[in-house]
């Protein structure tokens, strides 16, 4: 049996979904490997201050903002498979340069290239939309979100292990002297190897999901025109605003969570990493298992409202986690490390990824429902770009609030910023207009 509009049989569709899941996992694994070493690596260069570290993080998101819509639009025209392969090749180059860098400008160059190639997530989401019927799309997109989460579970751990002196010494003895091996270059090369594995998997095992007829549908429509059309389309305009607000608000959690648990709880880097791993595990279970079951019973709009509500509570409750723990029992008699303080924090950290996991998947599903089949990649790219823009400007704002106002401020402000998302999503219950690219003006066609 062939899926309507894709030309892919049921078995090839299942294989395609599995391969895309694995490719996204490998790509995000490489990104996750770099996370533990980035601040330390940057400080080894003259001028590698915390401000520069923030600029490096912002440069990645800024390039994602620019290139996610372009890659999504390109995949609508030439196909998903070639865009995924080329972007993964770019990631191989980016992480290799990162490991070989001997100056800050090379770090920036590699991070910017990695950010540009990281916009391929919109193409992977569009691939899923191509081969999945609308009623099963939220569940399928949830698996892509789970692949994203798995990359962040295993990546930082791998990066930490590869930066150990014993690991570096062992690997250095196996490779030629011409290959510079250090606690910073080895994780970088591992990230490049993960992306290279993704290239090979996509080349040999990923079937194309686009047909010739659909691939040429929007050939003459520019990315700027698509963005203007998306903003003007009632079905996508609230989603663009929702993606921006959610990403902006959540950036406060992503950037300021580790300083918070260090300042308030006195946790070490290893303990903070374990908490991040716990968040990742809950996110994977939510996106890979729970969302699929919930989407079979509830509409994406209702699930998005539910997820937003949970996220409002989870983000806002972070600075109150110690107060929450004060009314909970101390379970150290059963589990030696499970103090009331930690129990309160874990309770908050369960609500947080639960809400974010449900919301991110269902918002993506709503984008897919409100974009025509010919422009799935463009729509995903534009919404991903809105999120990348928010992650570019959000972290310095939230970091400034943390240090200038107080540890509680980025989380409270983030929770307040999420409240309008409830209204934006509720509007989608009555808005059904699909996003279509405007045809080019015949007088200016090239």
């Amino acid at each position: 049996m062939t899926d309507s509009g894709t030309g892919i049989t049921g078995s090839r569709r299942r294989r395609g979904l599995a391969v895309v899941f694995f490719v996204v996992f490998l790509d995000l694994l490489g990104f996750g490997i770099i996370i533990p070493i980035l601040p330390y690596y940057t400080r080894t260069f003259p001028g590698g201050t915390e401000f520069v570290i923030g600029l490096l993080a912002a440069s990645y998101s800024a390039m994602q903002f620019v290139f996610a819509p372009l890659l999504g639009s390109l995949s609508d025209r030439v196909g998903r498979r070639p865009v995924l392969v080329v972007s993964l090749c770019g990631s191989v180059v980016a992480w290799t340069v990162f490991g070989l860098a001997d100056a800050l400008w090379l770090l920036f160059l590699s991070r910017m290239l990695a950010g540009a190639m990281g916009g391929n997530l919109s193409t992977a989401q569009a691939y899923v939309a191509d081969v999945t019927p609308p009623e099963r799309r939220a569940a399928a997109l949830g698996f892509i979100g789970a692949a994203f989460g798995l990359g962040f579970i295993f990546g930082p751990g791998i990066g930490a292990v590869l930066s150990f002196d014993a690991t570096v010494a062992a690997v250095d003895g196996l490779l030629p002297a011409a290959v510079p091996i250090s606690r910073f270059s080895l994780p970088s090369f591992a990230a490049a190897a993960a992306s290279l594995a993704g290239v090979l998997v996509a080349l040999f095992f990923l079937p194309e999901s686009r047909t010739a007829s659909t691939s040429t549908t929007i050939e003459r429509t520019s990315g700027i025109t698509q963005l203007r059309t998306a903003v003007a389309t009632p079905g996508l305009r609230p989603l663009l605003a929702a993606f921006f607000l959610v990403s902006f608000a959540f950036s406060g959690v992503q950037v300021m969570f580790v300083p918070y648990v260090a300042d308030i709880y006195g946790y070490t880097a290893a303990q903070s990493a374990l908490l991040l791993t716990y968040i990742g595990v809950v996110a994977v279970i939510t996106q890979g298992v729970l969302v699929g079951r919930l989407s079979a019973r509830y509409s994406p709009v209702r699930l998005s409202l539910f997820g937003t509500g949970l996220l409002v509570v989870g983000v806002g409750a972070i600075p109150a986690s110690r107060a929450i723990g004060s009314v909970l029992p101390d379970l150290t008699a059963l589990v030696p490390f499970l103090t009331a303080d930690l129990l309160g924090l874990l309770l908050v950290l369960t609500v947080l990824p639960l809400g974010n996991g449900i919301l991110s998947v269902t918002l993506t599903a709503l984008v897919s429902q409100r974009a025509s089949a010919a422009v799935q990649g463009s729509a995903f790219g534009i919404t991903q770009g809105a999120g990348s823009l928010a992650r570019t400007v959000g972290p310095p704002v939230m970091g400034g609030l943390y240090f200038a106002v107080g540890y509680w401020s980025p989380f409270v402000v983030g929770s307040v910023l999420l409240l309008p998302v409830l209204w934006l999503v509720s509007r989608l219950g009555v808005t059904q207009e699909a996003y279509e690219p405007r045809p080019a003006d015949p007088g200016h066609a090239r």
Side-chain angles (χ1 to χ4, degrees):
M1 183 176 179
T2 301
D3 292 317
S4 178
T6 68
I8 292 185
T9 61
S11 61
R12 292 186 70 213
R13 177 183 61 81
R14 289 189 294 271
R15 189 184 79 183
L17 287 173
V19 172
V20 164
F21 174 92
F22 191 54
V23 166
V24 170
F25 167 70
L26 288 171
D27 199 26
L28 270 297
L29 182 69
F31 180 84
I33 288 172
I34 298 300
I35 289 176
I37 71 166
L38 178 61
Y40 304 99
Y41 192 18
T42 306
R43 290 191 181 106
T44 64
F45 295 93
T49 63
E50 291 184 0
F51 176 70
V52 172
I53 293 171
L55 289 179
L56 277 170
S59 68
Y60 184 97
S61 296
M63 295 302 285
Q64 261 195 333
F65 167 70
V66 173
F67 279 89
L70 297 178
L71 290 178
S73 176
L74 183 63
S75 76
D76 286 332
R77 297 196 300 271
V78 304
R80 315 301 186 199
R81 183 172 174 271
V83 170
L84 285 172
V85 169
V86 171
S87 60
L88 286 166
C89 288
S91 295
V92 174
V93 175
W95 299 134
T96 301
V97 171
F98 192 82
L100 296 174
D102 58 2
L104 273 176
W105 72 267
L106 283 172
L107 285 188
F108 274 96
L109 177 65
S110 63
R111 287 288 292 177
M112 292 171 70
L113 177 59
M117 299 300 99
N120 63 14
L121 180 60
S122 61
T123 303
Q125 292 170 327
Y127 188 102
V128 172
D130 287 342
V131 301
T132 309
E135 66 273 11
R136 289 158 53 191
R137 203 162 284 164
L141 288 167
F143 282 107
I144 295 298
F148 195 95
L150 284 171
F152 280 101
I153 289 176
F154 292 106
I158 293 173
V161 170
L162 292 176
S163 63
F164 290 160
D165 290 338
T167 307
V168 173
V171 174
D172 195 24
L174 299 174
L175 296 177
V179 181
I181 297 298
S182 70
R183 60 194 178 103
F184 302 124
S185 65
L186 184 57
S188 304
F189 297 154
S195 294
L196 179 60
V199 172
L200 297 176
V201 169
L203 274 175
F204 290 105
F205 300 105
L206 184 66
E208 178 55 60
S209 64
R210 301 286 286 167
T211 64
S213 59
T214 56
S215 295
T216 59
T217 302
I218 59 165
E219 186 175 356
R220 299 164 71 184
T221 305
S222 71
I224 294 176
T225 300
Q226 293 169 33
L227 177 59
R228 190 163 52 240
T229 304
V231 172
T233 301
L236 277 186
R237 188 167 54 239
L239 288 170
L240 287 172
F243 265 90
F244 183 87
L245 288 172
V246 171
S247 298
F248 193 105
F250 204 67
S251 69
V253 178
Q254 293 171 317
V255 175
M256 289 296 110
F257 174 73
V258 172
Y260 168 74
V261 295
D263 295 343
I264 304 303
Y265 289 85
Y267 286 164
T268 64
Q271 291 169 316
S272 300
L274 289 174
L275 290 173
L276 293 175
T277 299
Y278 174 76
I279 292 174
V281 169
V282 176
V284 168
I285 293 173
T286 299
Q287 297 184 335
V289 179
L290 187 60
V291 169
R293 296 181 180 181
L294 290 175
S295 63
R297 300 184 59 183
Y298 304 102
S299 70
V301 170
R302 294 185 66 182
L303 285 179
S304 292
L305 290 171
F306 178 59
T308 304
L310 288 176
L311 196 56
V312 168
V313 173
V315 172
I318 289 177
S321 57
R322 198 155 213 177
I324 294 171
S326 67
V327 300
L328 297 176
D330 189 311
L331 300 180
T332 52
L334 299 175
V335 183
F337 61 84
L338 198 54
T339 63
D341 260 1
L342 179 57
L343 193 60
L345 184 58
L346 291 177
L347 180 61
V348 173
L349 295 185
T350 301
V351 175
L352 186 69
L354 182 64
N356 187 60
I358 293 173
L359 180 59
S360 62
V361 173
T362 52
L363 279 181
T364 304
L366 286 168
V367 171
S368 178
Q369 287 182 1
R370 282 157 175 77
S372 70
V375 291
Q376 293 285 322
S378 301
F380 284 131
I382 290 166
T383 51
Q384 186 186 341
S388 297
L389 177 62
R391 288 188 295 273
T392 300
V393 299
V397 171
M398 294 303 195
L401 286 172
Y402 185 97
F403 294 107
V405 179
Y407 72 87
W408 53 268
S409 56
F411 308 112
V412 172
V413 169
S415 182
V416 171
L417 285 174
L418 288 166
L419 292 175
V421 178
L422 291 169
W423 175 74
L424 290 167
V425 173
S426 67
R427 292 184 61 202
L428 296 174
V430 295
T431 302
Q432 299 295 333
E433 183 176 340
Y435 166 53
E436 293 277 3
R438 289 197 184 111
D441 181 350
H444 297 85
R446 295 289 183 268

